[in-house]
Structures are given as C-alpha cells and as structure tokens.
Amino acid sequence: MHRKALKNFQGVRYVESENGDRCFYIRYRDLNNKQIEEKIGWASEGITPQQAQLIRNERIKAIRLGDEVVTIQSRRKTSLAFGDFFEDRYITNASVNKKKITVETEMFVYKKWIKPIIGNKALKNITPFDLERIKKTMKDAGKSPRTIKYAVSIVRQTFNKATEWGLYDNINPASKVKTPKENNKRSRFLTHTEAKELLLSLKTRSKQFYEISLLSLFTGMRAGEIFNLKFGDIDLDNGIIHIKSPKNGEDRVAYITPEIKEILAPKKGKSNEYVFKDKNGNKIKEVSNAYDRAVKRLGLNNGVEDRKDKVVFHTLRHTFASWLVMKGTPLYTVSKLMGHKSITMTERYSHLSPDTKRQATEKLTGILDDNVVELKIK
C-alpha cells in the first residue's frame, strides 16, 4: 500500500484505511546507510504525527552515536502477549469489519476458554499443544464440537492478523491442530401447513421478508444469494433467475414459478440495483428478526433441543429440496437446482423419495406369463 508523506513532519508517512483510520510510519537510514521503514501505529491507538516524529528523531540520534536501534516490531515480536494483541488490536479491527453479534461471541469465547490458557503467553511461545489444552478443557466441560472448532478458528484468525500486521513471523500454531468434526446436516423441513402458516405470519408483519422467504421456499436459494440478487439477474420472459457467485462458486439458475412471478413482476429497478434492500436502500446483510419472531409465534421450535432440528431461515431451502424429492424428482436434478458440489450432499434427502426401486422391480412381475419358453434338459 502506498505511503503518503506528511507536510511539516520529515520522514513521517501514513496509509489510510477504508474507515479513515491512519497508520503512521517513519523512514531513516541505519549505520550501514540502509533505508529502514518502521511502523509506529494507528491513530485509533492514540498515535499522532508528532509522536512518530519524536520516535524518528530518537532513532537518528541513536544511530549517530553508534547505538543499535531496536524497532517497535522487533520488541513486540519478542514479548507481545496473545491477550494484549487480541484485546488491543484484533477485536478492535473486528468491531469495524464484522457484525456486532460476531464480535460479542468471539469476545465471550476468548474470555471463557482461550484467555485462561494462552492469554498471558507471548505469541511466539504459543504451540499447538496449548491449543490442544483449550480443546480438552472445552471437551471436558461438555462443549460441542462446533463450539470447540469455533474457538480454534478464533485463535487461527488472531495469528493470521498478527502475521498480516508484521507482529508474528512463525507458522500459525492453529494450522497444526485438528478440529473435531461436527454433524451439522439439517434434516428438518416444513410441512405444507407449517409453510403456509409461516408465510402468512410474515406477510402480515414484513411484506419484504415474506417475499424473500417465499423466494427461498420455491427456488431453494440461500439467504445470501437472495440478498445479492439484482434486477439484471431476473429474466421474467423466460422464467429464469441467474444466481451468480453462489456459495460453491458455480453459477446456476433457478426457475420462476407462478408464485415467484407474482412477487417479482411488479418490482422495477436498474440492472445493477438490488431487488431487496434494507431501510437505507443498501444491500441486506442478515436475516430479519421478523423471521425468528414468526417462528417463535408459531411455536415451530417448542421443545426442540438439537440445533439441527430447529427451524431457521435455511430450513426453507431444505424444504424446497425435500418437497421435490417427495414428488419423485431425481436426486441428480435436485442437486443441480440446489447448487450442490456433489450428489453426495443431496443424498441426505434420499430417504424421502418414493420407493422407486421397488416400483421398478415390480414392473417385471408377470413378464414371462405369456410365451413362456420351456427349457429342455438333455
């Protein structure tokens, strides 16, 4: 990233982030006349151009006296504790770039499970064995594989940021740790009655999320795919929706049913304009609380403990696939409509299909009743 010079501050430069924060650097030459560029820190951390200038002056004075200069990065790499980096730098950056609920969850998991074991250890001294201790502690406490995997992921992301910012230059210890496998395959789908009641409840309270939910139910589109949908992706004449850059990276199409045409046809917008927008006219980033409230009002999750069996927005996509299979649609066709990478992902619905194998076999019954061939044994 290009460094910009600062007027009236010789040898001080800066880069500016997307959110307007500035990171200050100083340039000077060492005893061997080699140009050094040293990162001083961000304005959001309290660093000012004046402070950067003073540090540069100290460096130059030390070099003239023949003293060795130890940069901030060198000092940090040898002593920076995981907890200090996480709380002072990582989580601050996350607050700008991640959802509030994600930041709060990461902070909770860090304080509860990560900090007690590696919070006070220097980044350079943390090993895969330390992360195994975190895993064991969580497992002994009865935490799910999903939660344990999430904790390891937080550590991995923290080390990645430390490396990106020049504060860590070893192999990420999390890359050497195996995370427990989790069974996160959802099997819950809605009955016709449940789907009607859910859509009706949404329609009376949030017309837009009623439309979004109906679109998912009749196309199998993911929430993110619907939020990314633009008017240029819709071909009403041919009854096709072009789903671009989906989760698996392969574009696909969805087909417009009469129910979908009814909600899309009245909508008008420019080709590059989002079909569904938030209250500020921007792209929607998350599922509305209106959906969860509707599910709660209908009691669809009452008494359900296993998260895989809970009704969430993604349940609409599973319902789309389940209904198709129950109608006898071949799994290969369903796989393509869902945008699955392989047929294996679609086979979870195979138990819902009509017993076509038995039906096919029974068609052979009586086939030899006419013109039976007698075999003579010599």
Side-chain angles (χ1 to χ4, degrees), residues 268-303:
K268 305 296 178 184
K270 296 179 180 178
S271 178
N272 63 346
E273 186 180 342
Y274 290 112
V275 176
F276 301 101
K277 297 181 282 289
D278 65 15
K279 61 182 179 182
N280 297 317
N282 301 317
K283 173 183 169 182
I284 300 174
K285 295 183 178 179
E286 56 188 8
V287 175
S288 169
N289 289 333
Y291 184 87
D292 291 333
R293 289 197 295 268
V295 170
K296 187 174 182 179
R297 276 193 299 272
L298 296 172
L300 295 178
N301 288 330
N302 287 355

PDB file of all heavy atoms in Angstrom, residues 268-303:
ATOM      1  N   LYS A 268     -39.558  -2.979  -9.995  1.00  0.00           N
ATOM      2  CA  LYS A 268     -38.819  -2.327 -11.066  1.00  0.00           C
ATOM      3  C   LYS A 268     -37.513  -1.744 -10.508  1.00  0.00           C
ATOM      4  O   LYS A 268     -37.467  -1.261  -9.379  1.00  0.00           O
ATOM      5  CB  LYS A 268     -39.649  -1.207 -11.693  1.00  0.00           C
ATOM      6  CG  LYS A 268     -41.026  -1.652 -12.206  1.00  0.00           C
ATOM      7  CD  LYS A 268     -40.904  -2.651 -13.352  1.00  0.00           C
ATOM      8  CE  LYS A 268     -42.285  -3.108 -13.814  1.00  0.00           C
ATOM      9  NZ  LYS A 268     -42.214  -4.154 -14.862  1.00  0.00           N
ATOM     10  N   GLY A 269     -36.479  -1.798 -11.309  1.00  0.00           N
ATOM     11  CA  GLY A 269     -35.208  -1.227 -10.885  1.00  0.00           C
ATOM     12  C   GLY A 269     -34.172  -1.345 -11.974  1.00  0.00           C
ATOM     13  O   GLY A 269     -34.358  -2.062 -12.966  1.00  0.00           O
ATOM     14  N   LYS A 270     -33.061  -0.640 -11.802  1.00  0.00           N
ATOM     15  CA  LYS A 270     -31.976  -0.699 -12.770  1.00  0.00           C
ATOM     16  C   LYS A 270     -31.287  -2.062 -12.703  1.00  0.00           C
ATOM     17  O   LYS A 270     -31.352  -2.758 -11.691  1.00  0.00           O
ATOM     18  CB  LYS A 270     -30.964   0.416 -12.493  1.00  0.00           C
ATOM     19  CG  LYS A 270     -31.543   1.811 -12.662  1.00  0.00           C
ATOM     20  CD  LYS A 270     -30.507   2.872 -12.346  1.00  0.00           C
ATOM     21  CE  LYS A 270     -31.101   4.273 -12.507  1.00  0.00           C
ATOM     22  NZ  LYS A 270     -30.114   5.327 -12.163  1.00  0.00           N
ATOM     23  N   SER A 271     -30.604  -2.414 -13.784  1.00  0.00           N
ATOM     24  CA  SER A 271     -29.995  -3.737 -13.900  1.00  0.00           C
ATOM     25  C   SER A 271     -29.059  -4.051 -12.743  1.00  0.00           C
ATOM     26  O   SER A 271     -29.009  -5.181 -12.264  1.00  0.00           O
ATOM     27  CB  SER A 271     -29.229  -3.834 -15.222  1.00  0.00           C
ATOM     28  OG  SER A 271     -28.593  -5.078 -15.339  1.00  0.00           O
ATOM     29  N   ASN A 272     -28.291  -3.049 -12.260  1.00  0.00           N
ATOM     30  CA  ASN A 272     -27.306  -3.282 -11.188  1.00  0.00           C
ATOM     31  C   ASN A 272     -27.857  -2.971  -9.803  1.00  0.00           C
ATOM     32  O   ASN A 272     -27.101  -2.878  -8.840  1.00  0.00           O
ATOM     33  CB  ASN A 272     -26.050  -2.465 -11.442  1.00  0.00           C
ATOM     34  CG  ASN A 272     -26.326  -0.956 -11.408  1.00  0.00           C
ATOM     35  OD1 ASN A 272     -27.482  -0.547 -11.456  1.00  0.00           O
ATOM     36  ND2 ASN A 272     -25.288  -0.147 -11.332  1.00  0.00           N
ATOM     37  N   GLU A 273     -29.157  -2.806  -9.699  1.00  0.00           N
ATOM     38  CA  GLU A 273     -29.786  -2.455  -8.419  1.00  0.00           C
ATOM     39  C   GLU A 273     -30.281  -3.711  -7.714  1.00  0.00           C
ATOM     40  O   GLU A 273     -30.818  -4.626  -8.342  1.00  0.00           O
ATOM     41  CB  GLU A 273     -30.957  -1.510  -8.685  1.00  0.00           C
ATOM     42  CG  GLU A 273     -31.626  -0.954  -7.440  1.00  0.00           C
ATOM     43  CD  GLU A 273     -32.775  -0.013  -7.779  1.00  0.00           C
ATOM     44  OE1 GLU A 273     -32.833   0.470  -8.931  1.00  0.00           O
ATOM     45  OE2 GLU A 273     -33.619   0.227  -6.890  1.00  0.00           O
ATOM     46  N   TYR A 274     -30.103  -3.748  -6.390  1.00  0.00           N
ATOM     47  CA  TYR A 274     -30.559  -4.902  -5.621  1.00  0.00           C
ATOM     48  C   TYR A 274     -32.088  -4.963  -5.620  1.00  0.00           C
ATOM     49  O   TYR A 274     -32.770  -3.936  -5.486  1.00  0.00           O
ATOM     50  CB  TYR A 274     -30.054  -4.835  -4.179  1.00  0.00           C
ATOM     51  CG  TYR A 274     -28.566  -5.048  -4.051  1.00  0.00           C
ATOM     52  CD1 TYR A 274     -27.722  -4.019  -3.650  1.00  0.00           C
ATOM     53  CD2 TYR A 274     -27.997  -6.285  -4.337  1.00  0.00           C
ATOM     54  CE1 TYR A 274     -26.350  -4.217  -3.543  1.00  0.00           C
ATOM     55  CE2 TYR A 274     -26.631  -6.496  -4.236  1.00  0.00           C
ATOM     56  CZ  TYR A 274     -25.818  -5.446  -3.842  1.00  0.00           C
ATOM     57  OH  TYR A 274     -24.463  -5.648  -3.743  1.00  0.00           O
ATOM     58  N   VAL A 275     -32.629  -6.160  -5.735  1.00  0.00           N
ATOM     59  CA  VAL A 275     -34.075  -6.349  -5.738  1.00  0.00           C
ATOM     60  C   VAL A 275     -34.648  -6.084  -4.347  1.00  0.00           C
ATOM     61  O   VAL A 275     -35.684  -5.445  -4.185  1.00  0.00           O
ATOM     62  CB  VAL A 275     -34.438  -7.780  -6.194  1.00  0.00           C
ATOM     63  CG1 VAL A 275     -35.954  -8.001  -6.113  1.00  0.00           C
ATOM     64  CG2 VAL A 275     -33.949  -8.017  -7.617  1.00  0.00           C
ATOM     65  N   PHE A 276     -33.947  -6.586  -3.335  1.00  0.00           N
ATOM     66  CA  PHE A 276     -34.372  -6.390  -1.947  1.00  0.00           C
ATOM     67  C   PHE A 276     -33.319  -5.537  -1.232  1.00  0.00           C
ATOM     68  O   PHE A 276     -32.120  -5.833  -1.306  1.00  0.00           O
ATOM     69  CB  PHE A 276     -34.538  -7.732  -1.235  1.00  0.00           C
ATOM     70  CG  PHE A 276     -35.545  -8.637  -1.886  1.00  0.00           C
ATOM     71  CD1 PHE A 276     -35.128  -9.689  -2.704  1.00  0.00           C
ATOM     72  CD2 PHE A 276     -36.905  -8.445  -1.703  1.00  0.00           C
ATOM     73  CE1 PHE A 276     -36.046 -10.529  -3.311  1.00  0.00           C
ATOM     74  CE2 PHE A 276     -37.834  -9.283  -2.307  1.00  0.00           C
ATOM     75  CZ  PHE A 276     -37.402 -10.320  -3.119  1.00  0.00           C
ATOM     76  N   LYS A 277     -33.763  -4.497  -0.542  1.00  0.00           N
ATOM     77  CA  LYS A 277     -32.826  -3.564   0.110  1.00  0.00           C
ATOM     78  C   LYS A 277     -33.240  -3.330   1.565  1.00  0.00           C
ATOM     79  O   LYS A 277     -34.406  -3.525   1.940  1.00  0.00           O
ATOM     80  CB  LYS A 277     -32.800  -2.237  -0.639  1.00  0.00           C
ATOM     81  CG  LYS A 277     -32.296  -2.349  -2.084  1.00  0.00           C
ATOM     82  CD  LYS A 277     -32.263  -1.015  -2.781  1.00  0.00           C
ATOM     83  CE  LYS A 277     -33.642  -0.582  -3.248  1.00  0.00           C
ATOM     84  NZ  LYS A 277     -34.154  -1.377  -4.379  1.00  0.00           N
ATOM     85  N   ASP A 278     -32.274  -2.891   2.362  1.00  0.00           N
ATOM     86  CA  ASP A 278     -32.597  -2.559   3.753  1.00  0.00           C
ATOM     87  C   ASP A 278     -33.257  -1.182   3.804  1.00  0.00           C
ATOM     88  O   ASP A 278     -33.473  -0.536   2.766  1.00  0.00           O
ATOM     89  CB  ASP A 278     -31.350  -2.633   4.642  1.00  0.00           C
ATOM     90  CG  ASP A 278     -30.292  -1.588   4.297  1.00  0.00           C
ATOM     91  OD1 ASP A 278     -30.602  -0.616   3.579  1.00  0.00           O
ATOM     92  OD2 ASP A 278     -29.134  -1.739   4.734  1.00  0.00           O
ATOM     93  N   LYS A 279     -33.551  -0.711   4.993  1.00  0.00           N
ATOM     94  CA  LYS A 279     -34.294   0.546   5.142  1.00  0.00           C
ATOM     95  C   LYS A 279     -33.519   1.754   4.639  1.00  0.00           C
ATOM     96  O   LYS A 279     -34.106   2.816   4.377  1.00  0.00           O
ATOM     97  CB  LYS A 279     -34.684   0.746   6.613  1.00  0.00           C
ATOM     98  CG  LYS A 279     -33.497   0.828   7.564  1.00  0.00           C
ATOM     99  CD  LYS A 279     -33.982   0.968   9.002  1.00  0.00           C
ATOM    100  CE  LYS A 279     -32.799   1.030   9.975  1.00  0.00           C
ATOM    101  NZ  LYS A 279     -33.259   1.129  11.380  1.00  0.00           N
ATOM    102  N   ASN A 280     -32.190   1.593   4.491  1.00  0.00           N
ATOM    103  CA  ASN A 280     -31.368   2.694   3.978  1.00  0.00           C
ATOM    104  C   ASN A 280     -31.106   2.570   2.477  1.00  0.00           C
ATOM    105  O   ASN A 280     -30.335   3.342   1.907  1.00  0.00           O
ATOM    106  CB  ASN A 280     -30.032   2.741   4.732  1.00  0.00           C
ATOM    107  CG  ASN A 280     -30.212   3.030   6.208  1.00  0.00           C
ATOM    108  OD1 ASN A 280     -30.995   3.895   6.589  1.00  0.00           O
ATOM    109  ND2 ASN A 280     -29.496   2.297   7.046  1.00  0.00           N
ATOM    110  N   GLY A 281     -31.741   1.584   1.863  1.00  0.00           N
ATOM    111  CA  GLY A 281     -31.574   1.410   0.431  1.00  0.00           C
ATOM    112  C   GLY A 281     -30.331   0.637   0.044  1.00  0.00           C
ATOM    113  O   GLY A 281     -29.956   0.611  -1.132  1.00  0.00           O
ATOM    114  N   ASN A 282     -29.701   0.006   1.023  1.00  0.00           N
ATOM    115  CA  ASN A 282     -28.481  -0.760   0.761  1.00  0.00           C
ATOM    116  C   ASN A 282     -28.757  -2.259   0.744  1.00  0.00           C
ATOM    117  O   ASN A 282     -29.859  -2.707   1.058  1.00  0.00           O
ATOM    118  CB  ASN A 282     -27.424  -0.448   1.835  1.00  0.00           C
ATOM    119  CG  ASN A 282     -27.068   1.022   1.874  1.00  0.00           C
ATOM    120  OD1 ASN A 282     -26.892   1.658   0.828  1.00  0.00           O
ATOM    121  ND2 ASN A 282     -26.957   1.579   3.072  1.00  0.00           N
ATOM    122  N   LYS A 283     -27.738  -3.022   0.390  1.00  0.00           N
ATOM    123  CA  LYS A 283     -27.855  -4.472   0.371  1.00  0.00           C
ATOM    124  C   LYS A 283     -28.149  -4.998   1.776  1.00  0.00           C
ATOM    125  O   LYS A 283     -27.549  -4.553   2.762  1.00  0.00           O
ATOM    126  CB  LYS A 283     -26.546  -5.075  -0.150  1.00  0.00           C
ATOM    127  CG  LYS A 283     -26.468  -6.583  -0.063  1.00  0.00           C
ATOM    128  CD  LYS A 283     -25.099  -7.055  -0.532  1.00  0.00           C
ATOM    129  CE  LYS A 283     -24.870  -8.506  -0.209  1.00  0.00           C
ATOM    130  NZ  LYS A 283     -23.529  -8.973  -0.620  1.00  0.00           N
ATOM    131  N   ILE A 284     -29.062  -5.946   1.883  1.00  0.00           N
ATOM    132  CA  ILE A 284     -29.381  -6.561   3.170  1.00  0.00           C
ATOM    133  C   ILE A 284     -28.218  -7.467   3.589  1.00  0.00           C
ATOM    134  O   ILE A 284     -27.663  -8.193   2.765  1.00  0.00           O
ATOM    135  CB  ILE A 284     -30.682  -7.393   3.064  1.00  0.00           C
ATOM    136  CG1 ILE A 284     -31.842  -6.497   2.646  1.00  0.00           C
ATOM    137  CG2 ILE A 284     -30.995  -8.082   4.397  1.00  0.00           C
ATOM    138  CD1 ILE A 284     -33.122  -7.257   2.368  1.00  0.00           C
ATOM    139  N   LYS A 285     -27.853  -7.434   4.854  1.00  0.00           N
ATOM    140  CA  LYS A 285     -26.703  -8.195   5.327  1.00  0.00           C
ATOM    141  C   LYS A 285     -27.069  -9.412   6.174  1.00  0.00           C
ATOM    142  O   LYS A 285     -26.258 -10.314   6.350  1.00  0.00           O
ATOM    143  CB  LYS A 285     -25.764  -7.282   6.114  1.00  0.00           C
ATOM    144  CG  LYS A 285     -25.124  -6.193   5.264  1.00  0.00           C
ATOM    145  CD  LYS A 285     -24.156  -5.355   6.080  1.00  0.00           C
ATOM    146  CE  LYS A 285     -23.497  -4.297   5.207  1.00  0.00           C
ATOM    147  NZ  LYS A 285     -22.556  -3.446   5.994  1.00  0.00           N
ATOM    148  N   GLU A 286     -28.269  -9.413   6.731  1.00  0.00           N
ATOM    149  CA  GLU A 286     -28.636 -10.545   7.589  1.00  0.00           C
ATOM    150  C   GLU A 286     -30.142 -10.756   7.597  1.00  0.00           C
ATOM    151  O   GLU A 286     -30.914  -9.859   7.221  1.00  0.00           O
ATOM    152  CB  GLU A 286     -28.129 -10.338   9.013  1.00  0.00           C
ATOM    153  CG  GLU A 286     -28.601  -9.054   9.657  1.00  0.00           C
ATOM    154  CD  GLU A 286     -27.933  -8.788  10.999  1.00  0.00           C
ATOM    155  OE1 GLU A 286     -27.001  -9.523  11.361  1.00  0.00           O
ATOM    156  OE2 GLU A 286     -28.353  -7.834  11.674  1.00  0.00           O
ATOM    157  N   VAL A 287     -30.523 -11.956   8.012  1.00  0.00           N
ATOM    158  CA  VAL A 287     -31.942 -12.311   8.068  1.00  0.00           C
ATOM    159  C   VAL A 287     -32.649 -11.448   9.106  1.00  0.00           C
ATOM    160  O   VAL A 287     -32.154 -11.255  10.224  1.00  0.00           O
ATOM    161  CB  VAL A 287     -32.115 -13.805   8.411  1.00  0.00           C
ATOM    162  CG1 VAL A 287     -33.589 -14.150   8.598  1.00  0.00           C
ATOM    163  CG2 VAL A 287     -31.501 -14.673   7.312  1.00  0.00           C
ATOM    164  N   SER A 288     -33.801 -10.934   8.757  1.00  0.00           N
ATOM    165  CA  SER A 288     -34.554 -10.055   9.642  1.00  0.00           C
ATOM    166  C   SER A 288     -35.040 -10.794  10.880  1.00  0.00           C
ATOM    167  O   SER A 288     -35.362 -11.988  10.837  1.00  0.00           O
ATOM    168  CB  SER A 288     -35.743  -9.466   8.886  1.00  0.00           C
ATOM    169  OG  SER A 288     -36.637  -8.815   9.760  1.00  0.00           O
ATOM    170  N   ASN A 289     -35.129 -10.064  11.992  1.00  0.00           N
ATOM    171  CA  ASN A 289     -35.683 -10.639  13.226  1.00  0.00           C
ATOM    172  C   ASN A 289     -37.141 -11.037  13.044  1.00  0.00           C
ATOM    173  O   ASN A 289     -37.677 -11.831  13.820  1.00  0.00           O
ATOM    174  CB  ASN A 289     -35.565  -9.636  14.372  1.00  0.00           C
ATOM    175  CG  ASN A 289     -34.129  -9.444  14.818  1.00  0.00           C
ATOM    176  OD1 ASN A 289     -33.314 -10.347  14.670  1.00  0.00           O
ATOM    177  ND2 ASN A 289     -33.808  -8.285  15.357  1.00  0.00           N
ATOM    178  N   ALA A 290     -37.778 -10.452  12.005  1.00  0.00           N
ATOM    179  CA  ALA A 290     -39.188 -10.772  11.750  1.00  0.00           C
ATOM    180  C   ALA A 290     -39.372 -12.263  11.503  1.00  0.00           C
ATOM    181  O   ALA A 290     -40.389 -12.845  11.891  1.00  0.00           O
ATOM    182  CB  ALA A 290     -39.683  -9.967  10.546  1.00  0.00           C
ATOM    183  N   TYR A 291     -38.385 -12.881  10.885  1.00  0.00           N
ATOM    184  CA  TYR A 291     -38.478 -14.317  10.604  1.00  0.00           C
ATOM    185  C   TYR A 291     -38.450 -15.116  11.907  1.00  0.00           C
ATOM    186  O   TYR A 291     -39.293 -15.992  12.123  1.00  0.00           O
ATOM    187  CB  TYR A 291     -37.335 -14.752   9.694  1.00  0.00           C
ATOM    188  CG  TYR A 291     -37.432 -16.205   9.277  1.00  0.00           C
ATOM    189  CD1 TYR A 291     -38.173 -16.580   8.163  1.00  0.00           C
ATOM    190  CD2 TYR A 291     -36.812 -17.212  10.016  1.00  0.00           C
ATOM    191  CE1 TYR A 291     -38.299 -17.921   7.793  1.00  0.00           C
ATOM    192  CE2 TYR A 291     -36.934 -18.547   9.655  1.00  0.00           C
ATOM    193  CZ  TYR A 291     -37.674 -18.898   8.545  1.00  0.00           C
ATOM    194  OH  TYR A 291     -37.792 -20.222   8.196  1.00  0.00           O
ATOM    195  N   ASP A 292     -37.476 -14.810  12.773  1.00  0.00           N
ATOM    196  CA  ASP A 292     -37.369 -15.536  14.048  1.00  0.00           C
ATOM    197  C   ASP A 292     -38.608 -15.325  14.907  1.00  0.00           C
ATOM    198  O   ASP A 292     -39.070 -16.250  15.594  1.00  0.00           O
ATOM    199  CB  ASP A 292     -36.117 -15.075  14.808  1.00  0.00           C
ATOM    200  CG  ASP A 292     -34.842 -15.517  14.114  1.00  0.00           C
ATOM    201  OD1 ASP A 292     -34.878 -16.530  13.409  1.00  0.00           O
ATOM    202  OD2 ASP A 292     -33.812 -14.834  14.273  1.00  0.00           O
ATOM    203  N   ARG A 293     -39.146 -14.108  14.870  1.00  0.00           N
ATOM    204  CA  ARG A 293     -40.347 -13.829  15.667  1.00  0.00           C
ATOM    205  C   ARG A 293     -41.543 -14.632  15.155  1.00  0.00           C
ATOM    206  O   ARG A 293     -42.360 -15.120  15.935  1.00  0.00           O
ATOM    207  CB  ARG A 293     -40.651 -12.329  15.654  1.00  0.00           C
ATOM    208  CG  ARG A 293     -39.659 -11.486  16.448  1.00  0.00           C
ATOM    209  CD  ARG A 293     -40.225 -10.098  16.737  1.00  0.00           C
ATOM    210  NE  ARG A 293     -40.430  -9.336  15.509  1.00  0.00           N
ATOM    211  CZ  ARG A 293     -39.532  -8.521  14.965  1.00  0.00           C
ATOM    212  NH1 ARG A 293     -38.348  -8.382  15.542  1.00  0.00           N
ATOM    213  NH2 ARG A 293     -39.803  -7.854  13.864  1.00  0.00           N
ATOM    214  N   ALA A 294     -41.631 -14.768  13.834  1.00  0.00           N
ATOM    215  CA  ALA A 294     -42.731 -15.553  13.264  1.00  0.00           C
ATOM    216  C   ALA A 294     -42.615 -17.024  13.656  1.00  0.00           C
ATOM    217  O   ALA A 294     -43.604 -17.675  14.001  1.00  0.00           O
ATOM    218  CB  ALA A 294     -42.722 -15.411  11.740  1.00  0.00           C
ATOM    219  N   VAL A 295     -41.399 -17.543  13.607  1.00  0.00           N
ATOM    220  CA  VAL A 295     -41.156 -18.939  14.006  1.00  0.00           C
ATOM    221  C   VAL A 295     -41.537 -19.131  15.474  1.00  0.00           C
ATOM    222  O   VAL A 295     -42.159 -20.141  15.844  1.00  0.00           O
ATOM    223  CB  VAL A 295     -39.677 -19.317  13.781  1.00  0.00           C
ATOM    224  CG1 VAL A 295     -39.357 -20.663  14.419  1.00  0.00           C
ATOM    225  CG2 VAL A 295     -39.369 -19.368  12.288  1.00  0.00           C
ATOM    226  N   LYS A 296     -41.171 -18.158  16.285  1.00  0.00           N
ATOM    227  CA  LYS A 296     -41.471 -18.248  17.723  1.00  0.00           C
ATOM    228  C   LYS A 296     -42.979 -18.184  17.978  1.00  0.00           C
ATOM    229  O   LYS A 296     -43.507 -18.936  18.807  1.00  0.00           O
ATOM    230  CB  LYS A 296     -40.765 -17.118  18.474  1.00  0.00           C
ATOM    231  CG  LYS A 296     -40.879 -17.213  19.978  1.00  0.00           C
ATOM    232  CD  LYS A 296     -40.043 -16.141  20.663  1.00  0.00           C
ATOM    233  CE  LYS A 296     -40.124 -16.284  22.182  1.00  0.00           C
ATOM    234  NZ  LYS A 296     -39.295 -15.253  22.867  1.00  0.00           N
ATOM    235  N   ARG A 297     -43.675 -17.295  17.264  1.00  0.00           N
ATOM    236  CA  ARG A 297     -45.121 -17.163  17.447  1.00  0.00           C
ATOM    237  C   ARG A 297     -45.847 -18.464  17.117  1.00  0.00           C
ATOM    238  O   ARG A 297     -46.820 -18.834  17.767  1.00  0.00           O
ATOM    239  CB  ARG A 297     -45.668 -16.034  16.562  1.00  0.00           C
ATOM    240  CG  ARG A 297     -45.543 -14.644  17.153  1.00  0.00           C
ATOM    241  CD  ARG A 297     -46.374 -13.649  16.367  1.00  0.00           C
ATOM    242  NE  ARG A 297     -45.940 -13.548  14.980  1.00  0.00           N
ATOM    243  CZ  ARG A 297     -44.988 -12.726  14.552  1.00  0.00           C
ATOM    244  NH1 ARG A 297     -44.376 -11.926  15.408  1.00  0.00           N
ATOM    245  NH2 ARG A 297     -44.657 -12.686  13.284  1.00  0.00           N
ATOM    246  N   LEU A 298     -45.352 -19.151  16.100  1.00  0.00           N
ATOM    247  CA  LEU A 298     -45.994 -20.397  15.679  1.00  0.00           C
ATOM    248  C   LEU A 298     -45.545 -21.597  16.504  1.00  0.00           C
ATOM    249  O   LEU A 298     -46.084 -22.693  16.361  1.00  0.00           O
ATOM    250  CB  LEU A 298     -45.691 -20.655  14.199  1.00  0.00           C
ATOM    251  CG  LEU A 298     -46.261 -19.629  13.222  1.00  0.00           C
ATOM    252  CD1 LEU A 298     -45.738 -19.886  11.813  1.00  0.00           C
ATOM    253  CD2 LEU A 298     -47.788 -19.669  13.229  1.00  0.00           C
ATOM    254  N   GLY A 299     -44.542 -21.392  17.364  1.00  0.00           N
ATOM    255  CA  GLY A 299     -44.059 -22.477  18.224  1.00  0.00           C
ATOM    256  C   GLY A 299     -43.378 -23.598  17.469  1.00  0.00           C
ATOM    257  O   GLY A 299     -43.375 -24.754  17.914  1.00  0.00           O
ATOM    258  N   LEU A 300     -42.770 -23.266  16.326  1.00  0.00           N
ATOM    259  CA  LEU A 300     -42.162 -24.314  15.499  1.00  0.00           C
ATOM    260  C   LEU A 300     -40.935 -24.951  16.146  1.00  0.00           C
ATOM    261  O   LEU A 300     -40.537 -26.046  15.755  1.00  0.00           O
ATOM    262  CB  LEU A 300     -41.781 -23.731  14.128  1.00  0.00           C
ATOM    263  CG  LEU A 300     -42.958 -23.265  13.268  1.00  0.00           C
ATOM    264  CD1 LEU A 300     -42.466 -22.655  11.967  1.00  0.00           C
ATOM    265  CD2 LEU A 300     -43.902 -24.432  12.983  1.00  0.00           C
ATOM    266  N   ASN A 301     -40.341 -24.251  17.114  1.00  0.00           N
ATOM    267  CA  ASN A 301     -39.157 -24.801  17.789  1.00  0.00           C
ATOM    268  C   ASN A 301     -39.425 -25.181  19.240  1.00  0.00           C
ATOM    269  O   ASN A 301     -38.487 -25.463  19.988  1.00  0.00           O
ATOM    270  CB  ASN A 301     -37.996 -23.800  17.719  1.00  0.00           C
ATOM    271  CG  ASN A 301     -37.413 -23.698  16.318  1.00  0.00           C
ATOM    272  OD1 ASN A 301     -37.444 -24.661  15.566  1.00  0.00           O
ATOM    273  ND2 ASN A 301     -36.881 -22.531  15.977  1.00  0.00           N
ATOM    274  N   ASN A 302     -40.674 -25.186  19.625  1.00  0.00           N
ATOM    275  CA  ASN A 302     -41.006 -25.543  21.004  1.00  0.00           C
ATOM    276  C   ASN A 302     -40.555 -26.970  21.317  1.00  0.00           C
ATOM    277  O   ASN A 302     -40.893 -27.910  20.594  1.00  0.00           O
ATOM    278  CB  ASN A 302     -42.513 -25.421  21.241  1.00  0.00           C
ATOM    279  CG  ASN A 302     -42.971 -23.974  21.306  1.00  0.00           C
ATOM    280  OD1 ASN A 302     -42.145 -23.051  21.274  1.00  0.00           O
ATOM    281  ND2 ASN A 302     -44.268 -23.764  21.388  1.00  0.00           N
ATOM    282  N   GLY A 303     -39.792 -27.126  22.379  1.00  0.00           N
ATOM    283  CA  GLY A 303     -39.336 -28.440  22.817  1.00  0.00           C
ATOM    284  C   GLY A 303     -38.208 -29.019  21.994  1.00  0.00           C
ATOM    285  O   GLY A 303     -37.794 -30.155  22.233  1.00  0.00           O
TER     286      GLY A 303
END
